[in-house]
Amino acid sequence: MKRIRVAAAIAVALGLGAGCASKKETGEARQVTKQAYGKTADGRDIQLYTLTNKNGMTVAIMNYGGIITSIKTPDRSGKLDDIVLGFDSVDGYLQTHPYFGALIGRYGNRIAKATFTLNGTVYKLAANDGANHLHGGIKGFDKVLWDARESADASSQRLELKYVSKDGEEGYPGTLSTTVVYTLTDENDLRIDYSATTDKDTVLNLTNHSYFNLAGQGQGDILSHEMMIAADRFTPIDAGLIPTGELKPVEGTPFDFRKPTAIGAHIDDDDEQLVRGKGYDHNFVLNRSGSDLELAARVSEPKSGRVLEVLTTQPGIQFYTGNFLDGTLTGKGGKVYEQRYGFCLETQHFPDSPNQPKFPSTVLKPGEQYRTTTLYRFPKAQ
Ligand code: GLA
């Protein structure tokens, strides 16, 4: 196991000798560790990186799929629990699973009929959700091995992941060079910076697919979590979960989370949209005032007191309530994941944007920099 002791890293940054006593006092808990975590089906090494901040909060991430395998945060009594769904070892992740913790690309969410037209050319993508394309296709960014580099400075631990997707991969045009940086700060923020460039016009929509349960993973369903989503509108879906193109006001619907509301308060209402999604599986149109990081969602869990805030530069967020979990997957610590045992808040551009001229554009051109940031912030438990 390789460790970067942050005290030493600070000392290096300041031009001091490693082991400087005063620095050790300030940063003993902080570290980045790296451990061998198994092999891909084609025999390549998978590593697990664990970032620890000064408060003892930890985030573990694999270079396979850029998957967040665990996030441990304190409850109101200070007890650390793992609050994301996943598996105890790499084997679970190498099988088919619903994108637990994974980086999603090239295109998060659905593209109708796995087809889009760009500059007059029709592109056929891999169809992996009936006739539609979902989360990047058959072998999306959740199933590739990323090049990883860990680092640390005075107040944060980082993992930088890079992947070059070939022209034509899963049907997408252009060679895409992608970088994702996970940063854990001493403020208990898990920051994710996504960037990319292309050599041909293409479309792109990167996100992360972590499933949260703030009571602790495997500790029942998430229906009593209180959810706030800063969105006056959402994008209703058809029977194939593809947006109809409408931006519908949430007012007077079960989609009104502008004030904190228990996730379970209306989830089983007799509402066509909820029936189609089997619960919430919808993109919310965030109320944005500019292009900086803005609060998109805030979730609190009454028993543990844990709070999660999501800040993003993105225009949308997919609120998914784990409706397809059905008790067939056994996760960490032998916990069986039943329906609605986790929720996802996937920051994104709207689903099917390449086929929806009225939605914000997801086109990336040569010479442009794709750049988005999302923060999963864990304020002190209440
Ligand atoms: C998403 C989709 C859901 C489902 C899950 C994975 O977030 O919106 O419909 O496909 O991923 O199971």
Side-chain angles (χ1 to χ4, degrees), residues 98-99 109-110 134-135 209 211 241 281 318 320 324 346:
Y99 307 94
N109 219 303
R110 292 178 171 79
L134 174 68
H135 292 332
H209 208 297
Y211 288 67
L241 310 191
D281 192 356
Q318 185 83 6
Y320 170 59
F324 295 120
E346 305 152 55

Side-chain angles (χ1 to χ4, degrees), residues 160-176:
E160 182 182 83
L161 299 170
K162 284 184 181 290
Y163 177 67
V164 179
S165 171
K166 293 199 185 72
D167 189 7
E169 205 168 289
E170 300 297 303
Y172 290 99
T175 309
L176 189 80

